[in-house]
């Protein structure tokens, strides 16, 4: 059983998650899934752990390259209040979908389904990675939709100090949540350290052109894309200015064809 943390950027009285097998080479067998408020570390706040279903069933097989969206559960969440998901997987997947340098730790149990266990004792192993769960969706609340942030390590802002959530998107989320009278606004951080727009880099995810449809177009309520990427293409590919400009234009065009507003961020000086 894997227990990764989730931090919502907006409040809601109910929530659901999306579990991904995007990079799996075989079906991912989910035995059970739970979502609860975090107490500390791997401990779920007593009495808040909710079992998630998939079309009313507790288990699901997710084909290689696919994802599964859970049913919603009644669980009042607040912006900036941490949650813990618990995903029990059957067997040992040969390829695992995850995030390499996340903002927080995940915890692993001994073999078995420990999703219903709120105590941290069943999760003795702490790892600096996130696995499988790639989206948290708030439900049953009037809201202002979702803004997606596509970028590299500057946007990702993972690694140390883990659990600090000190990236610029995190601070923006705090400012948005504290603004009086504003409807809840979801901020989806899609930054990957080392990511490039046009080229692949081991451990840094698919290039932005390749991952656009999966990572952005499928987000619930997304209406705006903030594009803050390209420095790794300049440093490491290398790529000419015309080709990089063309790639940026392609991302913007594909976003606009889906009705998204596009905001281009200026690359930082080095």
């Amino acid at each position: 059983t894997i227990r990764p943390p989730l931090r919502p950027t907006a409040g809601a009285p109910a929530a659901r998650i999306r579990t991904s097998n995007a990079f799996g080479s075989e079906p991912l067998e989910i035995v059970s899934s739970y979502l609860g408020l975090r107490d500390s570390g791997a401990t779920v706040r007593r009495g808040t752990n909710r079992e998630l279903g998939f079309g009313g069933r507790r288990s699901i097989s997710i084909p290689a390259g696919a994802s599964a969206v859970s049913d919603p559960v009644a669980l009042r969440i607040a912006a900036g209040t941490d949650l813990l998901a618990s995903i029990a997987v059957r067997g040992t997947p040969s390829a695992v979908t995850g995030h390499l340098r996340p903002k927080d730790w995940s915890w692993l149990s001994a073999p078995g389904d420990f999703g219903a266990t709120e105590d941290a004792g069943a999760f003795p192993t702490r790892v600096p990675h996130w696995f499988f769960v790639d989206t948290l969706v708030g439900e049953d609340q009037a809201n202002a939709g979702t803004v997606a942030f596509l970028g590299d390590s500057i946007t990702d802002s993972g690694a140390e100090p883990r659990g600090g959530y000190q990236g610029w998107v995190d601070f923006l989320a705090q400012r948005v949540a504290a603004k009086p009278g504003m409807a809840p606004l979801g901020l989806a951080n899609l930054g990957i350290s080392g990511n490039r727009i046009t080229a692949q880099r081991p451990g840094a995810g698919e290039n932005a052109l390749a991952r656009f449809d999966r990572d952005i177009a499928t987000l619930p309520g997304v209406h705006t894309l903030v594009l803050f990427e390209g420095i790794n293409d300049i440093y490491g590919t290398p790529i000419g200015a015309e080709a990089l400009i063309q790639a940026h234009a392609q991302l913007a065009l594909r976003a606009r064809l889906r009705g998204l507003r596009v905001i281009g961020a200026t690359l930082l000086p080095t």
Side-chain angles (χ1 to χ4, degrees), residues 112 139 175 222:
E139 295 275 332
R175 293 182 61 184
V222 63

Side-chain angles (χ1 to χ4, degrees), residues 6 15 32 41 47 53 72 77 87 114 117 129 132 135 156 178 189 201 208 221 231 239 269:
L6 304 168
S32 71
I77 60 177
I87 311 297
F114 294 95
T117 304
H129 307 294
F132 300 134
T135 307
D156 188 4
N189 189 337
R201 181 181 178 186
I231 194 66
I239 187 173

Side-chain angles (χ1 to χ4, degrees), residues 152 154 228 230-231 234-235 265-270:
D152 45 45
I154 299 170
F228 189 10
I231 194 66
I234 296 171
Y235 275 157
T266 302
L267 296 182
L268 298 176
T270 59

Side-chain angles (χ1 to χ4, degrees), residues 114-176:
F114 294 95
T117 304
E118 295 179 325
D119 187 73
F123 295 85
T125 304
R126 188 177 72 169
V127 293
H129 307 294
W130 283 342
F131 303 107
F132 300 134
V133 180
D134 71 352
T135 307
L136 173 68
V137 182
E139 295 275 332
D140 299 336
Q141 172 73 53
N143 62 80
T146 302
V147 177
F149 298 83
L150 182 61
D152 45 45
S153 60
I154 299 170
T155 300
D156 188 4
S157 304
E160 303 297 340
R162 296 205 188 279
Y165 293 86
Q166 296 181 6
W168 71 270
V169 178
D170 302 304
F171 285 105
L172 177 61
Q174 294 174 23
R175 293 182 61 184
V176 169

Side-chain angles (χ1 to χ4, degrees), residues 1-3 5 38 41-42 84 105-109 123 125-126:
T1 306
I2 297 167
R3 181 163 281 179
R38 186 183 193 178
L84 288 170
W105 304 91
S106 291
W107 288 265
L108 309 180
S109 76
F123 295 85
T125 304
R126 188 177 72 169

Side-chain angles (χ1 to χ4, degrees), residues 229-246:
E229 189 162 1
I231 194 66
N232 290 316
D233 294 80
I234 296 171
Y235 275 157
T237 303
I239 187 173
E242 289 187 1
L244 185 55
I245 291 170
Q246 184 181 46

Side-chain angles (χ1 to χ4, degrees), residues 13-31:
R16 67 173 87 222
I17 63 172
R18 185 174 69 183
T19 303
S20 176
N21 192 27
F23 298 101
S25 56
E26 59 203 327
L28 179 65
E29 304 293 337
I30 303 297
V31 177

